[in-house]
Amino acid sequence: MAERWKPSVTVAAVVARRRDGAVQFLLVEEHTPEGLMLNNPAGHLDPAESPAQGVVREVLEETGRLFTPDRLVGLYLSRFQRPATGEDVTHLRLAFGGIVGPRDPALSLDQGIVRTVWMTLAELQASRARHRSPLVLECVQDYLRGRHLPLDSITTDPSVYTPEIKA
């Protein structure tokens, strides 16, 4: 019997601020098998957490900032073949919009994260070759288009936290 296909579920944050009249977006610069790349603060959903909890955790780990999600920007499905290893991966990304607090200097950034950086849309568009995935820019563009769903569009069943036991 063939192994069941299972996409990797990831959560990502789209964080915007206005600085000197321009809108800037929070990104992370990180080491990957393909080299130093740019990404939205993002990562894999862990067991026993809701997508909203996952994105808060990932943003804190990767930026040292507390993230408060206020909308679901969208759901994205992408497939990627890693040039370095030939690995074929499909990601299901849940992208959230929201705000961040100040950076907590007592927190170190996740392993592999070199720094955080704020970029304008023009800077993001000019750096496409360094994006970890095409979803980096796509999520930002959807955010700018005003695309959003309420957070309660995602329901996390209590069994995620405490699995049901079938007798």
Side-chain angles (χ1 to χ4, degrees):
M1 182 159 132
E3 186 176 326
R4 177 177 243 176
W5 173 74
K6 296 176 185 172
S8 293
V9 178
T10 61
V11 290
V14 180
V15 179
R17 74 176 183 187
R18 189 168 288 282
R19 176 70 49 103
D20 300 325
V23 177
Q24 298 176 321
F25 295 91
L26 180 62
L27 299 171
V28 296
E29 189 174 45
E30 60 185 334
H31 289 290
T32 74
E34 290 71 48
L36 200 56
M37 305 296 267
L38 294 166
N39 198 6
N40 313 98
H44 294 273
L45 185 64
D46 281 352
E49 71 182 358
S50 71
Q53 290 168 328
V55 75
V56 169
R57 175 187 50 76
E58 284 292 346
V59 173
L60 187 62
E61 291 173 356
E62 294 193 353
T63 72
R65 297 169 181 264
L66 184 59
F67 177 66
T68 305
D70 59 17
R71 72 194 84 167
L72 177 65
V73 176
L75 300 164
Y76 303 84
L77 192 62
S78 67
R79 186 173 174 191
F80 176 71
Q81 288 196 318
R82 192 170 300 285
T85 64
E87 179 185 19
D88 189 349
V89 180
T90 299
H91 288 105
L92 174 61
R93 175 185 269 206
L94 290 82
F96 293 85
I99 59 171
V100 291
R103 168 121 169 58
D104 183 343
L107 296 176
S108 59
L109 303 182
D110 226 359
Q111 185 175 355
I113 303 295
V114 174
R115 67 183 177 125
T116 62
V117 60
W118 291 92
M119 298 179 81
T120 64
L121 178 60
E123 291 167 332
L124 265 170
Q125 291 169 326
S127 65
R128 276 188 185 138
R130 292 193 55 226
H131 292 185
R132 183 142 190 197
S133 102
L135 298 181
V136 173
L137 183 58
E138 190 171 350
C139 291
V140 166
Q141 290 172 323
D142 284 347
Y143 178 94
L144 287 170
R145 288 182 192 106
R147 186 169 167 205
H148 65 278
L149 295 164
L151 289 175
D152 65 3
S153 297
I154 301 172
T155 300
T156 301
D157 187 79
S159 64
V160 166
Y161 310 110
T162 308
E164 294 179 12
I165 299 172
K166 300 275 185 181

mmCIF file of all heavy atoms in Angstrom, residues 1 23 36 50 65 85 91 109 151:
data_model
loop_
_atom_site.group_PDB
_atom_site.id
_atom_site.type_symbol
_atom_site.label_atom_id
_atom_site.label_comp_id
_atom_site.label_asym_id
_atom_site.label_seq_id
_atom_site.Cartn_x
_atom_site.Cartn_y
_atom_site.Cartn_z
ATOM 1 N N MET A 1 0.842 -1.186 0.000
ATOM 2 C CA MET A 1 0.000 0.000 0.000
ATOM 3 C C MET A 1 0.885 1.246 0.000
ATOM 4 O O MET A 1 1.862 1.324 0.737
ATOM 5 C CB MET A 1 -0.891 -0.017 1.241
ATOM 6 C CG MET A 1 -1.841 1.136 1.310
ATOM 7 S SD MET A 1 -3.173 0.682 2.422
ATOM 8 C CE MET A 1 -3.293 2.068 3.437
ATOM 9 N N VAL A 23 4.849 51.901 3.906
ATOM 10 C CA VAL A 23 4.477 50.670 4.600
ATOM 11 C C VAL A 23 5.648 49.705 4.481
ATOM 12 O O VAL A 23 6.174 49.481 3.389
ATOM 13 C CB VAL A 23 3.194 50.043 4.003
ATOM 14 C CG1 VAL A 23 2.864 48.732 4.685
ATOM 15 C CG2 VAL A 23 2.031 51.012 4.107
ATOM 16 N N LEU A 36 21.211 31.894 2.092
ATOM 17 C CA LEU A 36 20.582 32.899 2.941
ATOM 18 C C LEU A 36 19.341 33.446 2.231
ATOM 19 O O LEU A 36 19.443 34.014 1.143
ATOM 20 C CB LEU A 36 21.589 34.015 3.218
ATOM 21 C CG LEU A 36 21.339 34.909 4.402
ATOM 22 C CD1 LEU A 36 21.199 34.116 5.697
ATOM 23 C CD2 LEU A 36 22.465 35.926 4.536
ATOM 24 N N SER A 50 -3.182 25.252 18.309
ATOM 25 C CA SER A 50 -4.031 25.772 17.244
ATOM 26 C C SER A 50 -3.157 26.545 16.265
ATOM 27 O O SER A 50 -2.033 26.946 16.608
ATOM 28 C CB SER A 50 -5.095 26.695 17.832
ATOM 29 O OG SER A 50 -4.492 27.902 18.284
ATOM 30 N N ARG A 65 9.610 39.003 19.182
ATOM 31 C CA ARG A 65 8.494 39.928 19.356
ATOM 32 C C ARG A 65 7.204 39.152 19.592
ATOM 33 O O ARG A 65 6.974 38.115 18.973
ATOM 34 C CB ARG A 65 8.300 40.803 18.114
ATOM 35 C CG ARG A 65 9.466 41.714 17.807
ATOM 36 C CD ARG A 65 9.299 42.343 16.429
ATOM 37 N NE ARG A 65 10.389 43.206 16.083
ATOM 38 C CZ ARG A 65 10.376 44.521 16.242
ATOM 39 N NH1 ARG A 65 9.317 45.130 16.747
ATOM 40 N NH2 ARG A 65 11.421 45.242 15.889
ATOM 41 N N THR A 85 18.763 18.706 -2.261
ATOM 42 C CA THR A 85 18.539 17.303 -1.889
ATOM 43 C C THR A 85 17.564 16.565 -2.803
ATOM 44 O O THR A 85 17.459 15.347 -2.732
ATOM 45 C CB THR A 85 17.974 17.221 -0.455
ATOM 46 O OG1 THR A 85 16.689 17.861 -0.434
ATOM 47 C CG2 THR A 85 18.914 17.870 0.551
ATOM 48 N N HIS A 91 3.584 22.346 0.978
ATOM 49 C CA HIS A 91 3.242 23.089 2.186
ATOM 50 C C HIS A 91 1.823 23.619 2.092
ATOM 51 O O HIS A 91 1.414 24.123 1.038
ATOM 52 C CB HIS A 91 4.177 24.295 2.381
ATOM 53 C CG HIS A 91 5.552 23.919 2.791
ATOM 54 N ND1 HIS A 91 6.622 23.959 1.936
ATOM 55 C CD2 HIS A 91 6.047 23.497 3.981
ATOM 56 C CE1 HIS A 91 7.708 23.571 2.577
ATOM 57 N NE2 HIS A 91 7.386 23.286 3.814
ATOM 58 N N LEU A 109 17.180 34.750 18.841
ATOM 59 C CA LEU A 109 16.413 34.319 17.676
ATOM 60 C C LEU A 109 16.653 32.832 17.433
ATOM 61 O O LEU A 109 17.703 32.295 17.760
ATOM 62 C CB LEU A 109 16.804 35.146 16.452
ATOM 63 C CG LEU A 109 16.638 36.658 16.582
ATOM 64 C CD1 LEU A 109 17.022 37.351 15.282
ATOM 65 C CD2 LEU A 109 15.236 37.041 17.011
ATOM 66 N N LEU A 151 -10.621 35.543 12.526
ATOM 67 C CA LEU A 151 -9.855 34.460 13.149
ATOM 68 C C LEU A 151 -10.716 33.241 13.454
ATOM 69 O O LEU A 151 -10.235 32.108 13.405
ATOM 70 C CB LEU A 151 -9.180 34.950 14.430
ATOM 71 C CG LEU A 151 -8.017 35.903 14.234
ATOM 72 C CD1 LEU A 151 -7.510 36.407 15.585
ATOM 73 C CD2 LEU A 151 -6.895 35.241 13.465
#
